[in-house]
Amino acid sequence: MDEMEEELKCPVCGSFFREPIILPCSHNICLACARNILVQTPDAESPRSSRASGSGVSDYDYLDLDKMSLYSEADSGYGSYGGFVSAPTTPCQKSPNGVRVFPPAAPPPAPQQHLLPQQPASLPPIPRNSCITCPQCHRSLILDERGLRGFAKNRVLEGVVDRYQQSKAAALKCQLCEKSPKEATVMCEQCDVFYCDPCRLRCHPPRGPLAKHRLVPPAQGRISRRASPRKTSTCTEHELENLSMYCVQCKMPVCYQCLEEGKHGTHEVKALGAMWKLHKGQLSQALNGLSDRATEAKEFLIQLRNMVQHIQENGVEFEACLVAQCDALIDALNRRKAQLLARVNKEHEHKLKVVRDQISHCTVKLRQTTGLMEYCLEVIKENDPSGFLQISDALIRRVHVTEGQWGKGTLTPRMNSDFDLTLDSGPLLQTIHQLDFVQMKVPAAPMLQLEECCTQNNSATLSWKQPPLTTIAVEGYILELDDGNNGPFREVYVGTETICTVDGLHFNSTYKSRVKAFNGSGVGQYSKTLIMQTSEIAWFTFDPASAHQDIILSNDNLTVSCNSYDDRVVMGNSAFSRGVHYWEMTIDRYDNHPDPAFGIARGDVLKDVMLGKDDKAWAMYVDNNRSWFMHNNSHTNRTDGGIGKGATIGILLDFTRGILIFLINDEQQGPVAFEALEGVYYPAISLNRNVQITLHTGLPIPDFYTAGEADPTGSVC
């Protein structure tokens, strides 16, 4: 019941209602608060609208009252009467529950005196031309001579407040404390007021007439108040009369005197008790719908709270996944760093080895060269010409050879000191900067829209959508159906559309269908499986798209004729491959004894020859005297009995036995025409300009066939 507490508080004082009255706008306000927010209007500038009160005026005019709004257009906290020039603006304030109200005008100073609670006559009278504004809807109206007494008291609300306060079992508070009420110590049964000790001494002294009042403990007073009978509501117009009737037009209770005076004499009135029960029933019915919405709201709140938990769990899981992925990238970068450092170290060691080898080689050659030079200088110092000449040629050759060994390139470094390696980190840095979240999940399972899914004849239409609140991108959908015989599913559609019609299904078959979505991350889960039943009886027409150009169709493609003397073929727009099917054709026109052919055909049958001339058709052609069966230009089973205008030809195709039977005027024509029929066949006929035929479909199987079996000789056994 805690949620109801705001409904039981006055929009002005923010406390529980005390003596609530009903304003014409159906809002409630404490009687004392209503007196506090009254504003006096100038006599000469009263609006021309009639004075309104809570009695008998149900359809009061808000147009003029809107002009008296105490609130500015900008709702700045200050307002004025829009229709009064001289009315002063009055600052407004907010009540404890957030509604702007106007404080009472400052009363003239008066000496303090003890007011007796049972003497309301001591309150100052309501000024003339007083205006009251509803603190909730801001509607204003002028009070009539009765003042606030013209408004009906909301005794129901008052009773609900009492019961609510009693149910709270809280300490009873003093009803006369001005600021923070103290705990009540006594209750006066005659005054029906709870007092604390200071307020009892000040306002209810034990002398004079008050000495005879009985004071009881608060708890006992609560019990006695609860047990006291409710006062009977009296008429606001006639205070001595009880409300016993209800005016339907004014939507308010009235008394007998109101009816006798004629104010409601022409209005429809009903017994108060009957209307009370009726409105209680209406309120109960309205509450049922509101209760359903409240239940849905509670379930929705549970769903939202579960979503909060799921979001938190998914957030932790996603964060851990992100950290793991980034750590994996860092590990990969560290591994690559180690590989690159190994290459740098290898290049570093190679350069050092080459340079050190060159240093060692040059050092040896320089030592040899220096030794040769020192030896030659010592030889030059010798003064023995003959001895010098003996070795000079050899020394000169050695010097030249040694000098040649220091030729071009010998004194050039074999290795550059620079490292010819440049790390190309630009693309990787750009990739890191572009690192962002992409589609990481496959789509959710689509939802089949059952209200849009249907079957018609041997076609099925399916519609689906993504679940609400999903943010995962979808690139397309895959629709799957089984074979209508509890076989495996197969893909029948792949694309971006969310509705698909599948044609060419088997009649009288039950199909299972499902759909799934896909994107770059993969394929999502399947939707719930939908079971669909195709039509038990075939309804079809002639197909203008596949008909020969000489064929003429009319009557919504049910009537066919031809403008050629040669036979031309036309097929139906539905194919059969399973079940038992029966259709008829009536001869509308039959001139010059032509021989039209009736039967079934494959989709690629020849269209410019008689039906049955090729191996793609199985037919019976008939003239006015006899008939023949024909397939692949083979004529068999000549049977007496022809056709004329008004004749009816029936074709019965039974896939359960793989046979084709023909009827003329409800009688089987010849034996079973063809057997061992398998595959997909279309109804078909061939005719020329001397014949006009009308097709009849959706027919039940003939009685002779359902009662027995067709005999190859033409009889039924």
Side-chain angles (χ1 to χ4, degrees), residues 646-693:
T648 300
I649 294 87
I651 301 94
L652 193 151
L653 177 61
D654 184 357
F655 283 100
T656 61
R657 299 173 57 191
I659 62 175
L660 181 66
I661 298 174
F662 295 97
L663 296 86
I664 295 180
N665 296 328
D666 299 327
E667 297 291 336
Q668 182 175 340
Q669 182 73 1
V672 173
F674 301 100
E675 297 179 327
L677 296 175
E678 294 180 350
V680 180
Y681 300 91
Y682 290 86
I685 65 170
S686 65
L687 72 166
N688 60 20
R689 66 182 303 161
N690 293 315
V691 185
Q692 177 175 301
I693 297 173

Side-chain angles (χ1 to χ4, degrees), residues 17-20 154-163 230:
F17 282 106
R18 293 180 57 193
E19 298 183 283
N154 195 338
R155 308 186 71 86
V156 174
L157 177 58
E158 189 175 10
V160 174
V161 171
D162 288 344
R163 289 196 299 271
R230 288 283 175 191

Side-chain angles (χ1 to χ4, degrees), residues 616-634:
K616 306 296 184 182
W618 293 256
M620 176 189 73
Y621 69 93
V622 57
D623 58 17
N624 61 322
N625 290 320
R626 61 191 68 84
S627 66
W628 292 264
F629 301 148
M630 183 168 61
H631 170 64
N632 199 16
N633 204 26
S634 173

Side-chain angles (χ1 to χ4, degrees), residues 316-541:
V316 172
E317 180 182 353
F318 188 80
E319 183 178 348
C321 180
L322 177 62
V323 171
Q325 289 178 313
C326 291
D327 289 344
L329 292 177
I330 294 173
D331 291 341
L333 186 60
N334 286 332
R335 289 194 298 270
R336 188 58 179 167
K337 173 184 174 182
Q339 295 173 358
L340 294 176
L341 285 176
R343 286 184 57 187
V344 172
N345 290 333
K346 184 178 180 181
E347 184 72 11
H348 174 259
E349 295 297 332
H350 174 68
K351 286 180 178 290
L352 288 178
K353 184 178 182 302
V354 171
V355 172
R356 285 169 179 169
D357 290 345
Q358 192 175 11
I359 289 174
S360 176
H361 179 72
C362 288
T363 300
V364 172
K365 289 186 65 64
L366 180 60
R367 185 169 59 249
Q368 293 174 352
T369 301
T370 302
L372 180 61
M373 290 174 58
E374 292 177 352
Y375 174 70
C376 290
L377 290 176
E378 293 298 328
V379 170
I380 291 175
K381 293 179 181 179
E382 292 294 329
N383 295 326
D384 184 3
S386 58
F388 177 82
L389 292 175
Q390 287 178 347
I391 62 175
S392 60
D393 290 336
L395 288 176
I396 291 172
R397 286 195 300 271
R398 285 185 62 190
V399 169
H400 286 301
V401 171
T402 302
E403 182 182 5
Q405 292 177 349
W406 294 100
K408 184 177 181 181
T410 306
L411 301 179
T412 301
R414 297 176 184 175
M415 184 62 64
N416 189 356
S417 60
D418 296 331
F419 284 81
D420 297 330
L421 298 174
T422 301
L423 182 63
D424 186 11
S425 61
L428 179 59
L429 288 175
Q430 183 178 3
T431 302
I432 292 176
H433 291 152
Q434 294 176 348
L435 186 63
D436 201 350
F437 298 105
V438 295
Q439 191 64 56
M440 299 180 64
K441 293 184 179 180
V442 297
M447 297 173 57
L448 288 170
Q449 296 183 273
L450 301 181
E451 65 277 4
E452 298 184 13
C453 298
C454 62
T455 59
Q456 183 177 7
N457 224 10
N458 63 335
S459 299
T461 298
L462 296 105
S463 177
W464 60 88
K465 65 179 180 180
Q466 280 298 103
L469 303 180
T470 182
T471 57
I472 302 176
V474 175
E475 296 181 6
Y477 300 93
I478 301 174
L479 176 62
E480 297 181 356
L481 267 72
D482 70 350
D483 61 354
N485 195 26
N486 292 322
F489 282 90
R490 66 189 190 279
E491 294 183 1
V492 296
Y493 171 75
V494 178
T496 59
E497 298 296 330
T498 58
I499 187 170
C500 177
T501 298
V502 184
D503 298 320
L505 302 177
H506 298 299
F507 285 91
N508 194 23
S509 300
T510 301
Y511 285 88
K512 297 178 181 178
S513 58
R514 63 188 185 184
V515 64
K516 58 184 177 180
F518 64 87
N519 58 16
S521 299
V523 181
Q525 296 293 321
Y526 283 106
S527 66
K528 293 182 179 180
T529 301
L530 177 64
I531 299 177
M532 309 183 75
Q533 175 73 37
T534 55
S535 177
E536 182 177 358
I537 299 176
W539 297 84
F540 61 91
T541 64

Side-chain angles (χ1 to χ4, degrees), residues 547-553 560-569 607-608 687-689:
H548 192 276
Q549 60 183 2
D550 294 334
I551 292 293
I552 302 173
L553 296 176
V560 60
S561 59
C562 180
N563 59 11
S564 173
Y565 286 104
D566 297 323
D567 289 304
R568 299 292 186 248
V569 173
K607 306 292 176 50
D608 55 356
L687 72 166
N688 60 20
R689 66 182 303 161

